[in-house]
Amino acid sequence: MILNTSPTLSSRSGGCTLTGALSVTTHVRDAVSIIHGPKGCAHHNFSLLHATGLDNDLAVIPDLVSSALAESDIVFGGEEALARTILAVCERDVSAVFVLSTCIVDTIGDDVVAVCSREYPVPVIPISTAGFLGGNFQDGVNKALISLAALAEPTQNNGCVNFIGEMNLEYEVEENYAEIARILTLLGLTPGIRFVHNITLDEISELGAAQLNILRDPQLVPVGEYLKDRFGTPFLPSFPTGLSDTLSFIESIAGSCGIDGKRAVGIEQALQAEILADFTDLADSHAVFCGPVSDPMSSRAAQEAADALHIRVGNDQNANALPVHPVVGTAGVKRMLHRWRRSLHA
Amino acid sequence: MKQIALYGKGGIGKSTTSSNLSAALSERGLDILQIGCDPKRDSTRMLMHGRFIPTVMDLVRTQGDTAITLSDVEFPGYNGVRCVEAGGPEPGVGCAGRGIIATFQLLEKFGALKGDVIVYDVLGDVVCGGFAMPMREGYAQEIYLVTSGELMSLYAANNICKAIKRLASRVKSNCRLAGVICNAKGQPKEEELVAEFARQVNSNLIEFIPRDRVVQLAELNRKTVIEYEPASAQAECYRSLAARVMENTRLTIPTPLEIDDLEHLAYSFI
């Protein structure tokens, strides 16, 4: 049983398990996500996913359907309402149906797995996402990815490199993807599927074909382990953060794929030097780092860039506030330096 | 208006006691409403001559709550006792506690909670907040525990004392323990044991109802004892209970026992 923590410990990165799972399942274009619960749980998430999608130039309406439970369903059990909703969704042209549970249905003990195990024309995949059970946004992401991975069968290696667990709700999701794809191309490798970002169920069947999986973030390691067990695919635990980390990332990929990465590292070093040369106007400024993030990896990447440009970081009176963002790859650092320039020259 | 609730271990005789109490109260010319708060829906059956009346929750499920009127859910039983069954889900699904809450809200909307006495007959164990609903503000202020001298029955009664104590500590709560009713199993020194239990939880033994075959005979004939054998000693017992309930002014905040003390108490009456 999950125990209550202090109400003062609300974490901005915690989030709801349901929302995390939906950030994955709604990116399967030919599937529908059913939220088994009161209709408000669907509406709230729909708004969030839709608004974030628009910010990322992904004008896709998230395909959410609510079982729209009312009080009588809570008293008598919501299983039949769920079965009706699944059947109604199956009438449409869909490849799969995801069923995500909410707090109330796990409180009253609806047997969602049993309802999903009945006969339907398409796969119906239950994902337990009741938030009060203690999981956070990331747990929802991981559960959804693992549930989806179970749909793919082991297959012939195609030599590609897959992207696992991209943060579909982050602002730079496309830029970050493009950066990793660029690095793979630099190494002569082919980018594989984006598991899961704007994808079809058919494409997911290629999941097991990759020679390497790259996780977006170390919190996805359980997903990486699952894929390794199921398909034998090794994984790297994270996209790279900052300049030197990007160089080691290139070496790690080369090592995993058994290729020589020296040339690619050399090209990347030259690119990084070229970028730093473009920002010499920032040299010798006084700065202090500020949000929006303060995770150790991002802070380290920011410090590294500041050192390379001889920016003095310290909290003195003349210090300019420099924003620290999560930066992926060399391109991420470049975007951060542009932001710094705007801050310093404002 | 007096509102009382009977709580106790499952199978201890709450419905039998409630129905006979309601019947006895009605004989005094009082307007009585008995509400069965148990998905088993059999609280009022003896007052209704064996009929399972439609439950509030069944009607809500089939018709929606806007289409229901008071006459759909309230049925006149023996001697004009008004009978309501909350109902609820089939065993093993849904949330019966929420069903009780929904029923109470609907009865309030109908203005059904009126008369001289309302008798709430509540499911054995107060397993969740919903089953404590009858004890909340505006409903039953007087809680009667129905128990025999058996340890498990006393244990359940003691647990309900804990619930009353907790609710009584709330601001504006008038929920109090009104007494203990011993529905005897026929074990030796049973009355003394239950009386001592009642004293130790800061209450009184209100009535000792001996075990009598007439209760089973009345049930087999789908009647309360009051109706089936009005001249019997058992019927007189229920009338005495009715009189004591009407006179009772000793409402207390209970002092539940620790399990060791409860066992020790039961042991000392072997």
Side-chain angles (χ1 to χ4, degrees), chain B residues 106-241:
Chain B
L106 205 62
L107 292 175
E108 286 234 30
K109 196 179 97 184
F110 290 150
L113 301 176
K114 61 177 200 277
D116 297 314
V117 183
I118 301 178
V119 178
Y120 298 91
D121 175 16
V122 192
L123 175 133
D125 296 295
V126 191
V127 287
C128 73
F131 292 99
M133 190 72 187
M135 297 190 209
R136 289 203 207 159
E137 192 201 344
Y139 303 114
Q141 291 105 43
E142 303 174 27
I143 311 300
Y144 286 92
L145 303 175
V146 183
T147 181
S148 70
E150 288 178 313
L151 181 61
M152 281 303 109
S153 174
L154 291 169
Y155 182 73
N158 192 54
N159 272 341
I160 295 155
C161 285
K162 292 180 187 170
I164 300 170
K165 184 185 173 189
R166 186 168 52 250
L167 283 163
S169 69
R170 291 186 187 169
V171 179
K172 292 200 291 184
S173 169
N174 294 317
C175 169
R176 295 289 184 271
L177 178 57
V180 179
I181 300 165
C182 179
N183 196 31
K185 286 283 182 199
Q187 67 191 60
K189 295 199 253 178
E190 194 166 15
E191 182 169 1
E192 291 84 345
L193 168 57
V194 176
E196 180 57 19
F197 167 77
R199 194 188 66 74
Q200 291 198 10
V201 297
N202 190 30
S203 190
N204 295 84
L205 179 64
I206 289 288
E207 188 65 51
F208 177 77
I209 302 169
R211 190 171 179 83
D212 193 317
R213 174 118 179 98
V214 74
V215 174
Q216 277 75 49
L217 291 175
E219 273 185 17
L220 289 168
N221 285 280
R222 300 173 165 189
K223 286 175 182 163
T224 59
V225 175
I226 297 284
E227 184 181 8
Y228 175 69
E229 202 73 80
S232 63
Q234 197 73 3
E236 225 23 68
C237 256
Y238 291 123
R239 290 191 188 103
S240 164
L241 172 63

Side-chain angles (χ1 to χ4, degrees), chain A residues 71-79 104 107-110, chain B residues 57-58 60-61 88-89 93-96 98-99 102 105:
Chain A
E71 189 177 23
S72 65
D73 299 304
I74 301 313
V75 172
F76 293 104
E79 294 178 14
I104 186 71
T107 303
I108 68 171
D110 271 5
Chain B
M57 282 295 100
D58 276 350
V60 168
R61 177 158 59 165
V93 294
C95 180
R98 185 68 221 176
Q105 287 171 348

